[in-house]
Amino acid sequence: MDTRIRAFRPPDTEPVVALSLRAWAPVFASLERVLGREISGRLHGDWHQHQERAVRGVLAGPGVHAWVAEADQQVVGFVTATVDAGRLLGEIPMLAVDPAAQGRGTGSALTAFATDWLRGAGMLVVMVETGGDPGHAPARRVYQQAGYALLPVARYFKAL
């Protein structure tokens, strides 16, 4: 399967939202196992609605640059990037690959593409954030293989 990366276009929104929900289903299941149903529910409500709003919000956000990966004329992944010109800090706020296309290097290609774009935009450091739970393990592998350094962060939750 030949995959190419191109600029995101508004007609890509629905395929991107749909693939992101499929891609993040195991992540939200993992978060519920780690945090418990009560905290997970309080944080995300219906995770489908929560994640759909998050994806649409990022894609429509000011200063967000987005690209999609296409295979066989189908959108199979996407990545977004932002720049903090004052700090020369780039960020990859969102990346997802359709489960049917995972394991073929698409996430790595999207990460490399966004990283190269940020380098070309003059950024000196690029940051990407992901979870430490088992559901985010594939994302951690992609970023580690791309040469990103891990900064462990402790984040605690408590239901009130």
Side-chain angles (χ1 to χ4, degrees):
M1 180 183 311
D2 189 33
T3 302
R4 74 179 186 104
I5 298 173
R6 64 163 174 79
F8 169 85
R9 299 185 295 249
D12 298 323
T13 301
E14 297 311 314
V16 164
V17 168
L19 79 84
S20 74
L21 294 177
R22 290 189 298 273
W24 282 313
V27 169
F28 281 96
S30 175
L31 289 173
E32 185 173 305
R33 282 190 302 276
V34 171
L35 296 173
R37 181 169 283 177
E38 181 180 16
I39 291 175
S40 183
R42 288 181 184 193
L43 285 172
H44 307 116
D46 175 343
W47 75 263
H48 298 88
Q49 292 174 0
H50 168 83
Q51 195 61 30
E52 180 176 345
R53 281 191 306 273
V55 171
R56 290 181 190 281
V58 166
L59 291 173
V64 174
H65 303 272
W67 301 272
V68 297
E70 263 186 345
D72 299 326
Q73 299 181 332
Q74 299 293 314
V75 174
V76 297
F78 81 106
V79 66
T80 61
T82 60
V83 299
D84 179 338
R87 293 178 66 197
L88 297 178
L89 172 66
E91 182 176 0
I92 299 175
M94 210 170 264
L95 167 77
V97 176
D98 194 307
Q102 289 177 3
R104 300 179 188 152
T106 303
S108 295
L110 286 164
T111 299
F113 188 94
T115 302
D116 289 345
W117 184 87
L118 288 161
R119 181 181 296 108
M123 300 301 102
L124 297 179
V125 175
V126 180
M127 175 181 72
V128 62
E129 182 178 320
T130 193
D133 61 289
H136 284 95
R140 290 192 306 276
R141 279 192 299 277
V142 165
Y143 305 137
Q144 289 166 354
Q145 289 171 353
Y148 282 76
L150 174 64
L151 171 66
V153 175
R155 184 178 284 177
Y156 295 88
F157 294 87
K158 179 178 180 173
L160 300 177

